[in-house]
C-alpha cells in the first residue's frame, strides 16, 4: 500500500516515524510519502516538504503567514493527487491537516488521524470535519475517547506514543556516564526545553536564561530543536554560561535534577523520564487575549490535563523569570514537594499504559484498510 503522512512539528515527526517503522512490519509492500521531517525520512518516507517551512504558532503569527500557508496547502494537495496514495495519515497539526482531510475526502482517499488535534481545548466546532471526513481517529490521551464519543465520533486509544520513544531510549542508556563527563562540569544539571519553533524559542529562551545567576551551583543545558540551527541559538544565548545539545533531549533529561519546559509534548516526556519540572508558556499578547476567550481547559500542560490536577506548576506570560526561579528553588530544596511531584508522575505512567503503541495502531490500520 501507499501511505501519505503529514506531520508539522518535531514531536509529530518522531511519532510518525515510529508509525512508519511499525507499518513496515505489517505491510511488506508499503511505500511512504510525507510532509514531515528528518526522522520520517530516515524511517523510509520520501519527503515532499520539510515541516520547518511551516513551523508557526499563535493566531497572530499564523495570520501574517497566510500566503505561505496557502501555497504549501496547494502544493501538498497537488503532490497527493500525483502520488495517488491508498490512505492519508494525518498527525496532529490541525490548521493544516483538517483542510487536507476535507480535500482527501472529496477525492475519495481514506483518511486516518493519528494523534488528535486538541479540539477539546478550543474550536470544538471543527469536530464536524473529523466526523465527516476521517475514517478512523486514533487518540493518544485517555480522556479524548469520551470527548469524541460526545461528538458522535468513534475514537480508539492504544496508549501514548511517547511511551514507545522513551522505551526505545532506555534500551540504549548512557551507562558509562559520558554525557555527565562531557557537559556537567561537576555540577547538577538543569535542562532548558524552549520548544521547537522560532516564535516560542524567541519568547521563552530569554526568560529561561535570565534565571541562571540565581543558581550558581547548577549547570544549565539547552535541548536544541532539530529544525533550529546552532547559530540561531547562539544569537539568543550571547554571553550566558549555558551549553546546547542537539538530538540528545532524553539523554539530557535523564541526567537532570530539574527542567524548565515549554508547554507541549515535552512536558509529558519530561514527566515520564521522572524529572521534576516547571512548565511555562508565553505568546503574542493579542494571541493570548483571544485565547483566553476560546480555550476551554483548566490546564495547558499535558501532565496536568491527564492527571486532572496541578501536578506541575504552570506559569503563563507575565513575570516568568522571577516565578521560574521561585518554583525551581522549591523543586530543588523542598524534598516533600519534589517527592509529591514524582509520585504524581508514577500515577501518570499507570494511566498511560504500556509501550508498543505504534505497533498496535499499525496493526489496526492494516485491519481497517483491508
Amino acid at each position: 500500500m501507499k501511505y501519505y503522512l503529514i506531520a508539522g512539528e518535531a514531536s509529530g515527526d518522531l511519532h510518525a516515524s515510529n508509525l512508519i517503522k511499525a507499518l513496515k512490519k505489517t505491510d511488506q509492500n508499503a511505500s511512504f510519502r510525507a510532509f514531515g521531517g528528518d526522522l520520517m525520512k530516515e524511517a523510509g518516507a520520501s519527503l515532499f516538504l520539510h515541516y520547518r517551512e511551516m513551523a508557526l504558532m499563535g493566531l497572530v503569527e499564523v495570520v501574517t503567514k497566510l500566503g505561505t500557508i496557502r501555497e504549501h496547502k496547494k502544493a501538498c494537495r497537488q503532490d497527493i493527487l500525483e502520488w495517488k496514495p491508498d490512505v492519508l495519515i494525518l498527525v496532529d497539526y490541525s490548521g493544516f491537516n483538517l483542510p487536507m482531510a476535507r480535500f482527501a475526502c472529496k477525492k475519495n482517499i481514506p483518511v486516518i488521524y493519528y494523534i488528535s488535534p486538541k479540539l477539546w481545548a478550543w474550536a470544538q466546532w471543527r469536530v464536524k470535519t473529523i466526523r465527516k471526513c476521517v475514517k478512523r481517529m486514533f487518540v493518544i490521551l485517555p480522556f479524548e475517547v469520551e470527548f469524541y464519543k460526545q461528538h458522535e465520533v468513534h475514537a480508539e486509544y492504544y496508549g501514548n506514543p511517547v511511551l514507545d520513544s522513551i522505551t526505545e531510549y532506555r534500551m540504549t542508556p548512557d551507562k558509562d556516564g559520558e554525557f555527565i563527563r562531557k557537559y556537567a562540569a561537576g555540577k547538577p544539571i538543569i535542562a532548558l526545553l524552549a520548544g521547537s519553533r522560532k516564535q516560542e524559542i524567541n519568547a521563552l529562551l530569554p526568560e529561561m536564561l535570565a534565571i541562571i545567576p540565581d543558581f550558581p551551583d547548577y549547570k544549565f543545558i539547552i535541548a536544541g530543536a532539530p529544525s533550529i540551527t546552532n547559530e540561531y541559538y547562539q544569537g539568543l544565548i550571547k554571553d550566558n554560561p549555558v551549553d546546547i545539545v542537539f538530538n540528545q533531549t532524553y539523554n539530557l533529561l535523564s541526567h537532570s535534577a530539574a527542567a524548565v519546559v515549554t508547554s507541549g509534548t515535552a512536558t509529558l516526556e519530561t514527566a515520564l523520564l521522572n524529572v521534576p519540572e516547571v512548565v511555562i508558556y508565553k505568546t503574542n499578547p493579542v494571541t493570548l487575549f483571544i485565547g483566553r476567550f476560546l480555550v476551554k481547559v483548566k490546564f495547558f500542560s499535558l501532565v496536568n490535563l491527564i492527571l486532572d490536577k496541578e501536578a506541575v506548576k504552570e506559569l503563563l506570560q507575565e513575570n516568568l523569570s522571577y516565578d521560574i526561579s521561585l518554583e525551581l528553588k522549591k523543586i530543588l530544596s523542598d524534598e516533600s514537594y519534589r517527592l509529591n511531584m514524582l509520585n504524581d508522575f508514577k500515577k501518570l505512567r499507570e494511566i498511560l499504559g504500556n509501550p508498543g503503541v505504534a505497533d498496535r495502531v499499525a496493526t489496526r490500520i492494516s485491519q481497517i484498510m483491508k
Side-chain angles (χ1 to χ4, degrees), residues 2 79-86 109:
K2 297 173 69 176
D79 192 59
I80 290 171
L81 286 178
E82 291 177 359
W83 202 68
K84 297 182 175 64
D86 295 299
I109 300 170

Side-chain angles (χ1 to χ4, degrees), residues 18-203:
N18 286 333
L19 183 61
I20 288 171
K21 295 173 188 175
L23 285 167
K24 285 181 175 179
K25 299 176 189 176
T26 63
D27 184 354
Q28 301 300 315
N29 298 313
S31 58
F32 302 90
R33 180 91 167 147
F35 178 161
D38 297 333
L39 295 178
M40 295 165 76
K41 183 177 180 180
E42 290 172 12
S46 62
L47 213 59
F48 157 65
L49 188 69
H50 200 289
Y51 70 78
R52 71 168 67 95
E53 303 295 331
M54 290 280 288
L56 304 170
M57 64 172 286
L59 297 174
V60 174
E61 293 81 1
V62 169
V63 168
T64 61
K65 298 290 185 179
L66 282 177
T68 301
I69 295 171
R70 192 179 301 114
E71 288 302 311
H72 285 324
K73 285 180 180 177
K74 180 180 178 181
C76 190
R77 286 193 292 264
Q78 185 61 37
D79 192 59
I80 290 171
L81 286 178
E82 291 177 359
W83 202 68
K84 297 182 175 64
D86 295 299
V87 60
L88 175 65
I89 301 177
L90 306 174
V91 183
D92 198 355
Y93 200 42
S94 62
F96 193 91
N97 275 338
L98 289 179
M100 289 300 110
R102 290 192 291 270
F103 167 76
C105 188
K106 292 177 182 176
K107 299 299 179 180
N108 295 316
I109 300 170
V111 178
I112 287 174
Y113 223 122
Y114 177 52
I115 305 181
S116 167
K118 298 174 181 62
L119 304 186
W120 36 265
W122 71 294
Q124 295 187 10
W125 55 268
R126 293 181 297 173
V127 175
K128 65 182 181 182
T129 298
I130 302 290
R131 186 165 54 241
K132 180 180 178 181
C133 300
V134 174
K135 185 179 183 72
R136 192 59 50 92
M137 170 65 74
F138 294 103
V139 298
I140 64 168
L141 301 172
F143 62 82
E144 291 177 322
V145 173
E146 181 60 30
F147 167 77
Y148 278 109
K149 183 179 180 181
Q150 292 173 0
H151 290 274
E152 300 178 337
V153 174
H154 176 70
E156 299 181 19
Y157 174 75
Y158 293 102
N160 193 295
V162 170
L163 295 165
D164 291 355
S165 303
I166 289 176
T167 299
E168 183 177 354
Y169 161 73
R170 283 177 170 155
M171 292 173 66
T172 55
D174 180 39
K175 292 180 180 178
D176 60 2
E178 180 181 346
F179 188 91
I180 290 291
R181 288 199 302 272
K182 185 173 182 179
Y183 293 106
K187 297 180 178 181
I189 295 171
I190 295 177
L192 304 178
L193 282 68
S196 61
R197 304 179 182 94
K198 286 184 177 180
Q199 291 99 327
E200 57 189 348
I201 294 169
N202 285 339

Side-chain angles (χ1 to χ4, degrees), residues 190 206-218 220 239-241 321 325 329:
I190 295 177
E207 301 278 5
M208 295 177 175
L209 296 174
I211 72 170
I212 292 178
D214 297 336
F215 299 87
D217 297 328
Y218 288 83
F220 285 80
D239 296 326
N240 283 287
S321 59
S325 283
K329 288 174 182 176

Side-chain angles (χ1 to χ4, degrees), residues 311 313 327 330-331 334-342:
K313 194 72 170 179
E327 179 63 14
K330 194 171 183 180
I331 287 172
D334 188 331
E335 188 64 21
S336 175
Y337 185 74
R338 183 183 181 91
L339 285 175
N340 284 336
M341 190 179 294
L342 294 176

Side-chain angles (χ1 to χ4, degrees), residues 11 15 51 63 93 137 139 145 156 206 233 243 281 283 344 351:
S11 61
H15 301 319
Y51 70 78
V63 168
Y93 200 42
M137 170 65 74
V139 298
V145 173
E156 299 181 19
Y233 279 106
D243 284 338
Y281 183 76
T283 188
D344 283 333
I351 291 172

